[in-house]
Amino acid sequence: MTNILLVTSSPRGEDSLSTQTARVFADKLQAAHTGATLTKRDVNADPSPHLAESLVHAIRRPAADRTPEDIAALAHSDSLVGELQAADIIVLASGMINFGVPSALKSWIDHIARSGVTFRYGPDGAEGLLKGKKLYLVLAYGGVYAEGPAQAMNFQEPYLKTLLGFLGLTDVEVVTIEGVAYGPEMAQKAVAAANERVDALVAASAR
């Protein structure tokens, strides 16, 4: 059985093109994989708290030495990590905010990037522990960042690929929706191109 995890993060709610496209993508992936389950995590609607001192101490303390307070502090983080560990396919949607990811998505990342759990250090350096999974990034931009002078200001895609790759999610495909702030016609073309890309990726995943 294939487990699919959909992570959305836009503060724009139902108007978000990254969220809309990612939802369609996840639904199509579920339909293409017989018996697949779909877990949805909207990190904007249900935000993870910023890292607090109690959580940092709990994470760093060996599991055998954790107090009941440590376990309580880790409960949310453990839940998020469990969703990732159970997933075979991850669809993650992010719309660019100030050249990077939404703050709610950054907080989610802070909870799932855990030494000894989703990555570890060994004799050969860092090793990601979320291996063997397929990651699809659905990324939306108001401007055009694939090429031209604005390309150097795109900190969203490189950050997500680097961070999630560090955790072992290296099998990545990207669906881009860009230029949507340039008017309805440009937005329609961007969404149509993204939907074509989604259909191609869904077909490839089912082979």
Side-chain angles (χ1 to χ4, degrees), residues 35-51:
T37 65
L38 175 58
T39 299
K40 299 178 181 180
R41 170 69 64 173
D42 184 339
V43 301
N44 182 73
D46 183 18
S48 299
H50 292 297
L51 293 183

Side-chain angles (χ1 to χ4, degrees), residues 5 13 32 37 41 58 63 67 69-71 93 100 108 131 134 142 162 164 167 171 178 186 191 198 206:
L5 173 63
T37 65
R41 170 69 64 173
T67 66
E69 292 76 17
D70 292 334
I71 294 171
W108 176 81
K131 298 174 182 177
K134 185 72 178 185
T162 299
L164 297 172
L167 303 183
D171 187 359
E178 64 176 355
M186 183 75 166
V191 170
V198 164

Side-chain angles (χ1 to χ4, degrees), residues 129-160:
L129 300 178
L130 296 176
K131 298 174 182 177
K133 305 175 187 295
K134 185 72 178 185
L135 172 64
Y136 297 103
L137 297 177
V138 179
L139 307 179
Y141 304 89
V144 175
Y145 293 87
E147 57 185 8
Q151 187 176 25
M153 294 185 285
N154 180 3
F155 298 101
Q156 175 173 242
E157 182 176 338
Y159 170 70
L160 289 173

Side-chain angles (χ1 to χ4, degrees), residues 51-77:
L51 293 183
E53 184 178 358
S54 59
L55 177 59
V56 172
H57 287 321
I59 288 173
R60 292 182 174 179
R61 188 168 288 129
D65 298 332
R66 286 176 182 152
T67 66
E69 292 76 17
D70 292 334
I71 294 171
L74 284 167
H76 180 72
S77 176

